[in-house]
Amino acid sequence: NPRRLDVSSMASLTAPAPLCLARGRFSGARPCPSWRRAAPYRVVRADASASSTPRLPETIAEALDTVEAHFASRGADLYAATPEVTAAVRTMVASKRTDGKTVSEVLDASDGVWEVFEMPHMRKLSAPARVGFKPVRYTLKNRKLRSDVRFKVPFEFNSTGSETTGFGGWLSAAGGVKVSAKRDDAVELFFSSFWVGRDGDAPRDPPRASLRSPEERLLAGDALIDAVGNAGFVSSFAQFPLHFFDEQRGLCVFEFPPMSSFIACVRVADAPDATKF
């Protein structure tokens, strides 16, 4: 069962007393004169439709409509996720709907460019440090996998979306994806190449793709990044249970078990034929 979402909290309010009442309203924290009788209270029923608290999606149809409306206005931006989007993802997870496909069949139907629109653990860890990641992008083709993540430091936030300033660049990795050998409801990611690139609209292709022969070596900086990436990759953290997949709408939700976090992605394009892994 999905966890309850704590979308709001109420603080206790203490009103100064006594207060003078006029026409059923508080007119201020002024002591009532002893010679004047306060007007009686009127009981007024609250109008639920006037509440400012948004209605959270409860059915799978409502959840899908919610996330699609969100994409139309905000795109795939994990920092723009609203309580409604988070609740929609939880509803999608609870449905356990994968188009009736096995995990292997899902992988065969997953070619394309995917971008993350909900990743709570990344948002919580990066926001206080003012580091931003947008987009978080995965390109899949014939079970080959490429990850490209654009980062900014510092990363500024505002009410209309994320605004990036400062130093930035791309963090990239390439490898593949397969059905997990540890559990049949999960996928396993593996990477063999890591690199970085300068900031810009598009990430850099893998340095190894530019080598003209097996004897040619990576530049010292590229070799260092690749070695650090391979040394730091923890395969036990690369197991992701699949909870939702909708091929037609291009939506999927995986779980990152170490932090009990759900990662929701949308397919934004076909995988380009020129993609280098």
Side-chain angles (χ1 to χ4, degrees):
N1 293 328
R3 298 178 179 175
R4 291 181 56 190
L5 297 177
D6 182 17
V7 297
S8 63
S9 60
M10 295 292 290
S12 60
L13 302 178
T14 305
L19 298 178
C20 192
L21 300 174
R23 296 184 181 178
R25 296 182 180 178
F26 291 112
S27 60
R30 178 169 52 86
C32 293
S34 59
W35 51 268
R36 189 173 181 181
R37 178 177 296 177
Y41 288 103
R42 282 195 308 163
V43 177
V44 180
R45 294 185 179 274
D47 182 1
S49 64
S51 172
S52 60
T53 302
R55 181 179 179 276
L56 301 180
E58 297 178 354
T59 67
I60 188 63
E62 290 176 335
L64 295 175
D65 288 344
T66 295
V67 295
E68 290 193 332
H70 178 74
F71 302 146
S73 62
R74 305 299 290 274
D77 182 349
L78 64 91
Y79 298 98
T82 62
E84 296 95 325
V85 170
T86 299
V89 170
R90 292 279 180 169
T91 299
M92 292 158 66
V93 168
S95 76
K96 297 294 183 184
R97 202 178 88 180
T98 61
D99 284 352
K101 299 180 185 294
T102 64
V103 172
S104 181
E105 290 170 337
V106 167
L107 290 179
D108 290 336
S110 295
D111 284 4
V113 180
W114 297 80
E115 292 187 356
V116 173
F117 66 89
E118 171 69 330
M119 187 186 285
H121 69 280
M122 179 70 77
R123 186 168 59 246
K124 292 176 182 177
L125 292 173
S126 65
R130 299 182 67 197
V131 180
F133 299 97
K134 175 190 174 184
V136 178
R137 179 182 298 157
Y138 300 101
T139 303
L140 283 84
K141 191 170 185 179
N142 298 324
R143 302 201 182 191
K144 292 181 179 180
L145 172 65
R146 175 167 161 175
S147 168
D148 294 293
V149 180
R150 191 179 186 182
F151 72 92
K152 286 284 187 177
V153 183
F155 192 66
E156 304 294 340
F157 305 88
N158 57 42
S159 59
T160 60
S162 53
E163 179 182 339
T164 58
T165 59
F167 173 77
W170 289 87
L171 307 174
S172 300
V177 59
K178 60 184 179 181
V179 178
S180 171
K182 295 182 178 180
R183 47 188 298 178
D184 58 9
D185 65 341
V187 299
E188 179 179 349
L189 310 186
F190 55 94
F191 294 104
S192 57
S193 180
F194 298 83
W195 69 97
V196 298
R198 293 179 180 178
D199 195 20
D201 292 336
R204 176 190 179 198
D205 280 336
R208 291 187 184 280
S210 63
L211 299 181
R212 288 167 291 187
S213 69
E215 293 77 23
E216 190 173 357
R217 302 294 182 184
L218 294 172
L219 296 176
D222 290 331
L224 176 61
I225 295 298
D226 188 51
V228 170
N230 276 286
F233 179 69
V234 182
S235 59
S236 59
F237 285 178
Q239 310 286 329
F240 296 88
L242 171 68
H243 290 281
F244 182 88
F245 180 76
D246 187 318
E247 183 177 6
Q248 182 177 359
R249 293 178 184 255
L251 294 169
C252 69
V253 183
F254 294 88
E255 182 184 357
F256 182 52
M259 300 195 74
S260 301
S261 181
F262 295 112
I263 303 170
C265 308
V266 57
R267 181 158 37 197
V268 297
D270 293 334
D273 293 334
T275 302
K276 295 179 180 179
F277 295 91

